[in-house]
Structure formats: structure tokens, C-alpha cells
């Protein structure tokens, strides 16, 4: 249903719970309290203290039980969410499961999730094992689980807690989030997304999740848990929301915002999930996919985040040569602070792939050495699973094939190879 007022009342659950598993062979030799104590100095406060407090309270339980007492974890779904063969093999060989469960009220901080994940990671470290996040059906190695917890400033990367799976239907792609219910909020969905926007729209959904989660937790800030939280019917999403969700608030800050309408789609089946559906704002002409494509173009400032492979030809060769000739000058201007205000310098570089090099973009954060550029990836790479939007990257200047200066309207300067790809003809070079 679409609420025509300015706000949408979203129901709040009475309590939230988290469950993590640690598959082991035999019985643990270290108690959970000793394992958590070993994280001192490695885990930021207040999470370390929170984990110790919840271990001593009825809000958390840690039990070790034979694995035969549990239904089998579905290996196909675990694989779909990133499980490796080694992780599945360790699970198959396990004789027991350490079960960490915690419960807490809705609000911020999500003490149940932070404390349960910290305790499970501490236990897994003592047995050289894995953590299984039951909610996300994901394996986490202990180091990754600990990295996902808040830093000294209380910051997290939302992508460590919320996934954005998608599937195809007759109208295009159907995107959902998987993770917002950890915080008590309904999951988001969007339908009719064009096929070529898989990476871009996944990032937009993550940014929208970040913005709505902030509104949600602000609505839960009082001493009493309300029955409903009022969320805006028109949600504003910016490039900054996306960058913060991926842990890089410095990136994409100059992009213009986009509006997305929020609808409550309650489940008719009591065993099914309700969703908050993202749609174009009222009055937008044409199919939703057209608006979603325009929103991606706005949020990514004209640089396509989808994988683009350079095709051979004289035009592309001239474009690369032109870009490389200007590297020295653009570096000097970047270091001197002589780029226009509210702009972002990005570089395009090649990654090796089975079908030839894959060219992706990265936002420049520092360029102290002429041969080496430090930045944050502006897209997900198909050929390298470590290169994800917002992830830190180090780029060799010799690998750069293009650069561009972006503002909220798109490319101000550079982007010669992009012009060849987009127009199919040589770019104009002054």
C-alpha cells in the first residue's frame, strides 16, 4: 500500500535475535569468556565490553551440541552466498556446533548482532575454524567477522551486514536486500530493473538501505520502543550514502541526489516476508527501469560502473595516448589543489582477465608517488573478487588508460576512452 501522506508507518518488532555457529571437530578447549578476553586490544570499544557483558547476562547463550541435533545447513545456498569448498569440507567434517545466540531490543547499537558475532569469531579463532552467520547463510572467517565490527568511531561498512541478491523475472531484475531485518527494519525490494544495471543498482540499493536505516534508528532513539517508526514516503539517496555504506565516505560526494518512492508491501502469507518497495517517484512517466537507469547515471556521475572492455581500434589507441600524455599535468594539479571545487579525480586502469584486460575506474585519494596511485574502486570487477565498489585499491600509473574530473553533472574533463565506448567514434581532442 502507498501512504499518500509524507511518512509511512513501519511496524517495529518487540525484540531482535542473532544466531552464529562455529563448526568444530571434538569439543572446544577454551571457554567463550577466555576466547573473548583474548580480543583485548584488537576489538574496539564498546563492542569488546559489550560482548563480555552479554556473556554474563541472560541475553546471550553459548552452547556446544552435536551437529547431528541440527538440520543440515543447505550447501547450495551457502555456496550461492560465497562458501568455498574448503569451508564446506570443514562443515562436513565437524562433529559439533558451538551455537552463539543473543537477544536485544530494536535500536542502535544492535547489541545482539555485534556481541554475538564477536563471541563467535573469538571462539572460531581458538579452533582455527569458521563462523556461520545463520541469518545471511554466510561463512565468515574470524578475521573478516572481526573486521566487520565497529571501529573506534563506531563506524561499520553496511555491506558487511546487508547483502543485495537479485534474480530475473519477466519484467527485468528483481532486487532485494538481505540483512535489514537484523536491525528490525523490513527488507527493501525493487522490480523491473534493467539487466545491465546489476552492479550499479546493487550499489544504489545499498545506499538506500543506509539512508533508511539511519532514519529507522533515529526513530528508535527514545527510551521506549515505539510500535511504529515513521519513514519518509520519498527517500533521498546520494552518492555519499553509497560511499558510506561501502566504507569510503570520501567518494562520490559531489553527485546529485535522487528520489525513490517507498511503499509498504505486506505479505499475504503469514510465513512470507513483507517488503518496503522502491519505485520511481509519483508522476514519473514511462517504465520503472527507465527511472532506475537515470538514477544510476546521476549517482555515478556519468561513469558507468558496469564492466566495460575496450575494443581495439585507432580511436581507442588515440584516446589512451591522449589520456596518458596528460597524466603528469593532472597529477600536478591534483597535488596542488587546483582542480575545481566539489570535483573528483578518477582513473581508469586495466585488470587481467581470461578474456583480456578488464578496465575499471577508481577515485583518487592520494598520489604522492608518480608511479603509484592510491584510491577507492568506483565499480565491482568481474575478474578480481577483491575489487569492489568502495574498496581501497593501489593502481600502478603504468596501468592507467584514462582519467576524468567529475562533478555532479558528469565529466568535466578527460574521459576519452569512455567517449569512444559510448559514442562509437573518435572523441574530439583539443
Amino acid at each position: 500500500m502507498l501512504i499518500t501522506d509524507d511518512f509511512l508507518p513501519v511496524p517495529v518488532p518487540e525484540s531482535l535475535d542473532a544466531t552464529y555457529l562455529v563448526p568444530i571437530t571434538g569439543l572446544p578447549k577454551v571457554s567463550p569468556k577466555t576466547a573473548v578476553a583474548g580480543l583485548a586490544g584488537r576489538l574496539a570499544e564498546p563492542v569488546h565490553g559489550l560482548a563480555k557483558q552479554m556473556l554474563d547476562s541472560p541475553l546471550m547463550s553459548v552452547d556446544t551440541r552435536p551437529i547431528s541435533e541440527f538440520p543440515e545447513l543447505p550447501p547450495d545456498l551457502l555456496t550461492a552466498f560465497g562458501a568455498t569448498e574448503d569451508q564446506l569440507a570443514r562443515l562436513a567434517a565437524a562433529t559439533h556446533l558451538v551455537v552463539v545466540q543473543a537477544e536485544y531490543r530494536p535500536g542502535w547499537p544492535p547489541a545482539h548482532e555485534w556481541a554475538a558475532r564477536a563471541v563467535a569469531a573469538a571462539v572460531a579463532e581458538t579452533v582455527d575454524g569458521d563462523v556461520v552467520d545463520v541469518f545471511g547463510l554466510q561463512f565468515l572467517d574470524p578475521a573478516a567477522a572481526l573486521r566487520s565490527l565497529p571501529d573506534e568511531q563506531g563506524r561499520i561498512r553496511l555491506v558487511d551486514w546487508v547483502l543485495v541478491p537479485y534474480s530475473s523475472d519477466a519484467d527485468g531484475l528483481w532486487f532485494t536486500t538481505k540483512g535489514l531485518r537484523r536491525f528490525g527494519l523490513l527488507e527493501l525490494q525493487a522490480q523491473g530493473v534493467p539487466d545491465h544495471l546489476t552492479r550499479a543498482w546493487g550499489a544504489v540499493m545499498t545506499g538506500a538501505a543506509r539512508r533508511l536505516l539511519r532514519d529507522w534508528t533515529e526513530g528508535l532513539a527514545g527510551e521506549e520502543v515505539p510500535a511504529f517508526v515513521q519513514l519518509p514516503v520519498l527517500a533521498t539517496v546520494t552518492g555519499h550514502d553509497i560511499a558510506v555504506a561501502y566504507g569510503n565516505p570520501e567518494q562520490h560526494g559531489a553527485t546529485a541526489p535522487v528520489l525513490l518512492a517507498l511503499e509498504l508491501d505486506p505479505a499475504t502469507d503469514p510465513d512470507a516476508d513483507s517488503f518496503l518497495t522502491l519505485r520511481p517517484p509519483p508522476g514519473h512517466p514511462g517504465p520503472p527501469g527507465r527511472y532506475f537507469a537515470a538514477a544510476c547515471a546521476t549517482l555515478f556521475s556519468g561513469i558507468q560502473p558496469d564492466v566495460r572492455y575496450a575494443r581495439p581500434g585507432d580511436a581507442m589507441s588515440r584516446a589512451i595516448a591522449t589520456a596518458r600524455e596528460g597524466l603528469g599535468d593532472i597529477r600536478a594539479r591534483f597535488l596542488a589543489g587546483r582542480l575545481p571545487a566539489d570535483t573528483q579525480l578518477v582513473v581508469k586502469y586495466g585488470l587481467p582477465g581470461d578474456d583480456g584486460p578488464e578496465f575499471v575506474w577508481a577515485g583518487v585519494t592520494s598520489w604522492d608517488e608518480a608511479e603509484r596511485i592510491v584510491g577507492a574502486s568506483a565499480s565491482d570487477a568481474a575478474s578480481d573478487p577483491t575489487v569492489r565498489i568502495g574498496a581501497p585499491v593501489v593502481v600502478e600509473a603504468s596501468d592507467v588508460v584514462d582519467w576524468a574530473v567529475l562533478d555532479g553533472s558528469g565529466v568535466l574533463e578527460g574521459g576519452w576512452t569512455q567517449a569512444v565506448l559510448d559514442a562509437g567514434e573518435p572523441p574530439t581532442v583539443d
Side-chain angles (χ1 to χ4, degrees), residues 339-359:
L339 297 181
D342 298 324
T343 61
Q344 170 72 51
L345 175 62
V346 295
V347 294
K348 188 180 190 180
Y349 65 104
L351 294 170
D354 294 338
D355 299 320
E358 176 189 355
F359 294 94

Side-chain angles (χ1 to χ4, degrees), residues 157-159 162-164 175-177 180 185 188 199-215 235-247 252 255 258 260 262 278 299-300 389:
R157 295 188 338 145
L158 193 60
V159 290
V162 176
L163 305 175
V164 186
F175 279 77
T176 61
T177 59
L180 287 177
L185 182 58
L188 303 181
R199 293 182 177 87
W201 189 253
V204 174
M205 290 278 288
T206 306
R210 183 258 174 183
R211 172 58 65 98
L212 290 170
L213 183 59
R214 189 180 69 175
D215 294 337
T236 302
V237 182
T238 67
H240 181 70
D241 290 317
I242 296 171
V244 171
Y246 281 86
H252 299 292
T255 60
V258 299
L260 292 168
L262 196 66
L278 298 176
L299 290 170
F300 291 98
I389 184 170

Side-chain angles (χ1 to χ4, degrees), residues 143-155:
L146 293 174
R147 283 196 304 270
S148 71
L149 294 167
D151 62 14
E152 292 79 2
Q153 285 75 46
R155 298 171 301 190

Side-chain angles (χ1 to χ4, degrees), residues 182-224:
R182 300 179 191 271
F183 310 104
L185 182 58
L186 297 178
E187 302 291 356
L188 303 181
Q189 70 172 355
Q191 296 171 294
V193 179
D195 291 349
H196 70 282
L197 295 179
T198 51
R199 293 182 177 87
W201 189 253
V204 174
M205 290 278 288
T206 306
R210 183 258 174 183
R211 172 58 65 98
L212 290 170
L213 183 59
R214 189 180 69 175
D215 294 337
W216 176 253
T217 54
E218 287 177 355
L220 296 171
E223 293 185 5
E224 298 293 330

Side-chain angles (χ1 to χ4, degrees), residues 26 28-29 47 99 157 175 185 218 233 264 272 276 331 338 363 423:
K29 298 179 174 61
V47 179
V99 184
R157 295 188 338 145
F175 279 77
L185 182 58
E218 287 177 355
V233 167
L264 176 61
L276 293 172
R331 174 176 179 261
R338 291 190 284 113

Side-chain angles (χ1 to χ4, degrees), residues 191-194 197 280 284 286-294:
Q191 296 171 294
V193 179
L197 295 179
H284 173 74
R290 185 182 302 168
Y291 184 82
F292 295 155

